[in-house]
Amino acid sequence: MPLPALTVTTAGRPGHPDTPTEDRAGHWLSPDGRLAVAVVADGVTTTDTTAAPGGAAYADALVANVLDLAQDPGTPLNRALASAIGVTAVQQHLKGPDRPGTTRQATAGLVRVRPGHTEVTVLGDCTVVLLRRDGLPPIVVTDPRLQTITTAMPLRRRQYERLTSGEGAIGDPEDRRLTAEIMGELEERVNQPDGYWVAGALPEAGMRAVTATVETRDVTDILLATDGGARSVDTYRIHTWSQVARICRGGGPASVLDEIFQAGEADRCGRAAPRAKVHDDTTLTHIELPMGYSQC
């Protein structure tokens, strides 16, 4: 008997209407319905004016390679990500070292769903959320290392204090200067054991990803979000993850992204919700697991 079908829907929106999004997403379903793989990736924006933009191209290739290499349930999902990073690095002619804002990189969130277990892998500032039955709290899988580093930076504290006090606004000259200095300080921390990890030239980064495995029988919905796609929960705090899942079941992920955009428009200076950009690229994937899926 074939499994009840999983439903996978994705929406994306660029941070600026004149700039193509650097977020990417994709999914694969096995013909018998027993296995699904989904991934979101956020290409790191090139801020170095001497370097060619490459975040979107890297994210494109990474998503395609993950979907190809993660189909075998015998391969751990983080190892599939590591292999995908290695293939992508060869395709993109990357040799390292990885430098934020200069070399091609991406963050990623992956999930592999099958009737017995659901596996999650997160690298960088993407988020994967597993909503569960019977009032069980959601399982939120994040990689906090970059945020931990930047939160501790005096430069970041100064940047956000300017915004919340009304002294400055997102994107003003001083804000841009502080962002550039923050990027400079991060240069020595990317893909280092005492720093943070992203997909770039080093396959090892995939093995450093955050992982989780849960029993699929408890799962009703799965959300995969880039950092922009998670803003309604962790930046603007206008939703919980359970509310996001309900909105996705009703109006689809695009409805959530519309509300994220509206929240950003209402706080363009960053006084209520200090952040690095007025609007970020936003991508959200929703997987709905039908009743009976995990029983086969």
Side-chain angles (χ1 to χ4, degrees), residues 110-181:
L110 293 68
V111 66
R112 183 163 58 199
V113 189
R114 47 183 164 157
H117 294 87
T118 294
E119 305 155 79
V120 176
T121 294
V122 174
L123 184 64
D125 56 12
C126 291
T127 301
V128 177
V129 183
L130 307 176
L131 286 300
R132 300 188 292 168
R133 305 182 195 283
D134 302 323
L136 293 171
I139 296 173
V140 182
V141 185
T142 62
D143 179 352
R145 288 170 288 192
L146 175 57
Q147 184 175 4
T148 299
I149 291 169
T150 56
T151 299
M153 286 182 173
L155 285 169
R156 178 66 91 196
R157 290 198 294 270
R158 170 58 181 154
Q159 184 179 41
Y160 284 3
E161 285 168 0
R162 290 184 72 250
L163 300 180
T164 57
S165 69
E167 177 187 346
I170 298 172
D172 69 19
E174 178 64 6
D175 187 68
R176 292 197 301 271
R177 184 191 70 79
L178 289 168
T179 295
E181 290 197 24

Side-chain angles (χ1 to χ4, degrees), residues 83-98:
S83 298
I85 292 171
V87 173
T88 302
V90 171
Q91 293 170 337
Q92 303 274 312
H93 308 290
L94 305 179
K95 298 180 180 179
D98 293 309

Side-chain angles (χ1 to χ4, degrees), residues 43-55 58 94-106 146 180 182-192 196-202:
V44 176
T45 300
T46 302
T47 57
D48 183 349
T49 57
T50 66
Y58 186 94
L94 305 179
K95 298 180 180 179
D98 293 309
R99 298 188 183 280
T102 300
T103 59
R104 296 185 175 197
Q105 301 166 45
L146 175 57
I182 290 167
M183 295 294 288
E185 287 197 9
L186 288 174
E187 188 168 300
E188 302 304 320
R189 306 294 297 276
V190 61
N191 288 352
Q192 296 294 327
Y196 69 101
W197 295 83
V198 296
L202 299 179

